[in-house]
Amino acid sequence: MAIKVLHHGLSTTVQDLGRPGYFHLGIPIGGAMDRLAMRAANLLVGNEENAAGLEAVFMGPKMEFTKDALVAVTGADMPAKVDGVAQPGWTAFAVKAGQTLTFDFLKSGARIYIAIAGGIDVPVALGSRSTYPIGALGGFKGRALAAGDELPLGTANAGIAGRTVPEALRRMPGNPAELRVLPGLYWDRLTDDAKESFFADAWKVAPEADRMGYRFRGGRKLSFIDRTQPFGAGSDPSNIVDSCYPYGSIQVPGGTEPIILHRDAVSGGGYFMMGTVISADMDLIGQLQPHTPTRFIKVTMEEALEARTERAKLIAAIRQSLS
Amino acid sequence: MQSRYTFGGDEHLFVECSDEMSLDAFFKSLSMAKGVRDSAIKGVTEICPANASFQIKFNPDIIKPDDILKEVKAIEGAAEKAEPVLKTRIVEIPVFYNDPWTHETLMRFRERHQEPSGTDLDYAARINDFASVDDFVTAHSGSPWFVSMVGFVAGLPFMYQMVERQRQIEVPKYLRPRTDTPRLTVGHGGCFGCIYSVRGAGGYQMFGITPMPIFDPTQTTSYLRDFMVFFRPGDIVKFKPIDRDAYDQAVEDVDKGAFYPPIREVTFDLRAFQKNIAGTNANLEGMLNGH
């Protein structure tokens, strides 16, 4: 055993880049909410980008190392400390056997990614080490970490302490956050006023925001075009015959509070969706704290694909800088 | 039945075969989803069939959205001509209706319900014009159900009862979803029945509970050793009402690895069913009982 968990933080889970291929059975892709940060953390310590690390939200864990290791922490600004000595973020640092890793208070963002050379060596479940807590699947015994857990590490490649991701290549959401949305799905169920107000209004992240979905408040209630509800849908105008939910899709139960589905999303259900956050902006959502002001920006498919290309270039630049 | 195509962001194509539920829409959706799988379109990473629609996840770095749209539209015609015949299986699921665990839960969340003074069963029986809860249970367990979608959470089946539309049970979902539902609760929302595969949030009305696990990530349950998820779209389910003693016995059998649900391979032809619903269902039940 290489790491002893002394305190679990708020909720710390084992995550990699996810478990594609089982959404048709209701098992979501999972994996890091902020995949760019997860990839960067792995690259910093010499791991494969898909190696398993830890995702901690709002509050870091406290962990004792039982052997020497190379560690990197990326994502939110929550400084790591080794035996009380602060370590730079987005930078590889050495931890010696017997030393303890702790974290300072969160300054910005929401989630940190802790990569350790060799990766967390929990068993692979359906092709991934990511934790899916509702299904008690993957990760460390299918659940978030708890004090007393002992995490095994894989075999480390050669890594160098001090390597860092240049600041220009780190990405976090702004304040207000801006999330680009491609309208679609059941968009045409909304009235013209609702289509306009959704993008015009200032929304805020609600307290109910987790790996399954992020809820938003503060904008005007959305109104629907009148119709007779189709058989099997349910009587509320926001109801549909239960269908699949795309990752990033925005459902608005009752027309009141938009919910963006994220990595641990339910795979389907009976609420209409008005559009989908583009793939390039999904990582940003996982770094939003409750109450963060957020604007939704309407984009076309062409703009979504351009943004995706930009995102891919950014990740390539991170790889380049660490190669 | 013309399908509606729309994109879910830059990674999903969403195809709605019909905006209302019917077995025709379900068969078309399943047939199109199968057509997409068989045609092995490059860049497709997931195909998720649903009740009357389906979703494809694709990698736009490999295939452009417009190109996948063209390829899937080309499949629609062939899917419409496909014979609505399914080689599938029928399984008997025991249900302890009006059980103490869902009862405790529905009382705990009563203020979120349309009818706080009664139970979910009372409410569903009344708004569907049944004289009593017993009559309602007889209807619920009296005809088989199609598994028209698997999802929401791991392995949860959405089920559509195989009866004339005017006999279909329809109930609204809770006014506000519950934060808790017992594992293996048999529920109903809109026109769909379901079995909650894991404990968690839920908005469907709760009618009973089955002792038979349908999702087991440890794969130690006797009939889930090959795969952790029991249901597949197209499965046919027949509920069998059981009492407390039979429920306790079944739970014990599951724990001992000695529980095996009755399952039979069957062929289902939608056209034959639509011509003679009662006769088709009687045949299916006969096969389940080994006739």
Side-chain angles (χ1 to χ4, degrees):
Chain A
M1 292 302 148
I3 302 174
K4 281 186 198 161
V5 178
L6 304 179
H7 192 279
H8 61 273
L10 186 66
S11 175
T12 303
T13 53
V14 175
Q15 300 292 345
D16 55 21
L17 295 181
R19 179 180 288 117
Y22 303 94
F23 207 39
H24 65 291
L25 299 172
I27 300 172
I29 194 164
M33 291 284 280
D34 183 347
R35 290 189 195 161
L36 183 143
M38 181 89 249
R39 285 177 194 276
N42 274 323
L43 287 167
L44 280 164
V45 298
N47 288 348
E48 297 289 321
E49 288 175 41
N50 191 32
L54 300 175
E55 176 183 278
V57 62
F58 300 143
M59 189 179 157
K62 183 177 181 185
M63 302 188 297
E64 185 188 330
F65 283 64
T66 56
K67 67 177 189 189
D68 294 357
L70 189 66
V71 178
V73 179
T74 61
D77 188 4
M78 188 201 285
K81 294 194 286 190
V82 176
D83 281 355
V85 179
Q87 307 292 323
W90 298 80
T91 303
F93 57 87
V95 180
K96 295 240 173 292
Q99 289 190 310
T100 300
L101 178 67
T102 56
F103 292 87
D104 229 327
F105 290 111
L106 180 69
K107 291 177 181 165
S108 66
R111 288 177 168 81
I112 52 166
Y113 293 87
I114 309 166
I116 301 144
I120 310 286
D121 193 22
V122 292
V124 172
L126 300 181
S128 166
R129 293 185 171 87
S130 290
T131 315
Y132 173 48
I134 284 185
L137 179 71
F140 187 88
K141 299 182 178 173
R143 58 164 171 79
L145 299 185
D149 290 347
E150 297 192 345
L151 303 177
L153 291 181
T155 311
N157 299 318
I160 310 155
R163 279 208 304 183
T164 189
V165 174
E167 287 209 23
L169 301 181
R170 305 174 192 175
R171 280 293 179 280
M172 293 294 283
N175 193 332
E178 293 189 343
L179 299 176
R180 288 168 287 187
V181 173
L182 184 67
L185 301 165
Y186 292 85
W187 173 245
D188 289 332
R189 300 279 344 275
L190 293 175
T191 63
D192 288 345
D193 279 354
K195 287 176 179 176
E196 206 170 298
S197 69
F198 178 77
F199 289 108
D201 286 355
W203 298 89
K204 276 189 174 176
V205 178
E208 306 93 80
D210 58 22
R211 292 184 45 86
M212 295 181 78
Y214 261 63
R215 190 183 282 256
F216 293 81
R217 281 182 190 159
R220 278 166 281 179
K221 184 177 176 173
L222 304 182
S223 51
F224 297 88
I225 288 173
D226 282 339
R227 71 160 178 180
T228 306
Q229 282 291 97
F231 176 78
S235 49
D236 192 275
S238 68
N239 289 171
I240 57 168
V241 166
D242 296 55
S243 77
C244 299
Y245 289 154
Y247 295 106
S249 62
I250 305 171
Q251 55 177 252
V252 198
T256 54
E257 295 182 350
I259 302 167
I260 302 175
L261 296 179
H262 220 283
R263 309 283 187 221
D264 282 355
V266 293
S267 71
Y271 292 112
F272 98 110
M273 303 146 278
M274 46 158 293
T276 308
V277 175
I278 66 173
S279 61
D281 288 354
M282 287 293 283
D283 285 340
L284 300 177
I285 298 170
Q287 296 296 359
L288 299 179
Q289 295 178 4
H291 313 301
T292 306
T294 304
R295 298 207 89 103
F296 296 107
I297 313 289
K298 187 176 170 182
V299 294
T300 62
M301 178 64 89
E302 203 173 28
E303 289 166 323
L305 294 177
E306 275 168 27
R308 186 182 174 89
T309 304
E310 285 303 309
R311 193 77 175 171
K313 279 185 191 161
L314 176 66
I315 292 167
I318 292 173
R319 276 184 205 125
Q320 184 71 35
S321 78
L322 297 175
S323 65
Chain B
M1 205 188 311
Q2 185 73 37
S3 295
R4 187 174 69 85
Y5 294 83
T6 175
F7 288 105
D10 48 321
E11 292 187 332
H12 306 87
L13 175 62
F14 185 88
V15 186
E16 186 185 58
C17 295
S18 169
D19 67 354
E20 66 169 29
M21 184 57 192
S22 67
L23 279 179
D24 292 285
F26 164 72
F27 266 83
K28 183 170 174 190
S29 138
L30 197 63
S31 175
M32 280 191 78
K34 184 177 177 297
V36 173
R37 188 172 295 115
D38 292 347
S39 60
I41 303 167
K42 62 177 180 169
V44 169
T45 58
E46 307 225 26
I47 302 163
C48 303
N51 298 302
S53 59
F54 66 102
Q55 170 180 304
I56 299 166
K57 189 161 189 275
F58 64 95
N59 180 347
D61 305 333
I62 296 173
I63 185 164
K64 286 185 188 141
D66 284 347
D67 291 339
I68 193 163
L69 182 62
K70 267 183 226 146
E71 297 227 25
V72 176
K73 276 185 171 171
I75 288 163
E76 182 172 0
E80 259 170 342
K81 285 184 212 105
E83 297 225 311
V85 178
L86 205 58
K87 272 194 187 308
T88 184
R89 55 184 188 162
I90 183 168
V91 53
E92 184 179 85
I93 309 264
V95 181
F96 180 17
Y97 289 94
N98 205 8
D99 66 286
W101 303 282
T102 58
H103 184 83
E104 183 278 327
T105 307
L106 67 87
M107 294 313 286
R108 188 150 39 98
F109 290 98
R110 215 64 210 137
E111 90 287 0
R112 301 181 184 218
H113 196 271
Q114 290 82 355
E115 197 174 89
S117 61
T119 68
D120 293 8
L121 270 170
D122 295 338
Y123 175 70
R126 185 173 58 74
I127 67 167
N128 284 282
D129 296 325
F130 288 96
S132 68
V133 164
D134 284 350
D135 288 354
F136 178 81
V137 167
T138 300
H140 191 267
S141 57
S143 300
W145 300 69
F146 244 101
V147 175
S148 49
M149 174 173 170
V150 177
F152 181 61
V153 291
L156 178 150
F158 289 83
M159 293 170 292
Y160 184 70
Q161 199 168 24
M162 297 162 64
V163 292
E164 297 83 356
R165 182 169 288 188
Q166 62 271 21
R167 287 178 57 204
Q168 254 154 4
I169 297 162
E170 272 203 284
V171 291
K173 294 162 197 172
Y174 270 46
L175 295 172
R176 285 181 298 129
R178 298 176 303 274
T179 54
D180 191 21
T181 309
R183 175 172 162 265
L184 300 177
T185 290
V186 174
H188 201 97
C191 69
F192 296 105
C194 84
I195 301 171
Y196 285 87
S197 52
V198 295
R199 185 176 176 180
Y204 277 21
Q205 308 282 335
M206 297 182 290
F207 298 156
I209 200 159
T210 175
M212 180 184 151
I214 56 169
F215 170 69
D216 176 11
T218 68
Q219 291 182 249
T220 50
T221 305
S222 53
Y223 50 91
L224 295 173
R225 282 186 189 130
D226 289 342
F227 194 58
M228 60 181 76
V229 169
F230 182 74
F231 282 110
R232 302 187 284 255
D235 279 342
I236 298 173
V237 169
K238 182 74 170 54
F239 293 123
K240 180 190 176 190
I242 56 170
D243 61 14
R244 176 65 192 260
D245 287 347
Y247 175 86
D248 289 343
Q249 182 63 53
V251 168
E252 201 184 310
D253 290 346
V254 167
D255 290 346
K256 284 192 302 205
F259 183 91
Y260 291 93
I263 300 176
R264 299 280 184 277
E265 303 294 321
V266 293
T267 300
F268 178 84
D269 186 325
L270 179 62
R271 293 159 302 189
F273 171 79
Q274 281 166 336
K275 268 187 215 134
N276 181 2
I277 293 180
T280 307
N281 287 348
N283 275 343
L284 285 169
E285 199 163 348
M287 279 187 262
L288 187 60
N289 296 324
H291 301 314

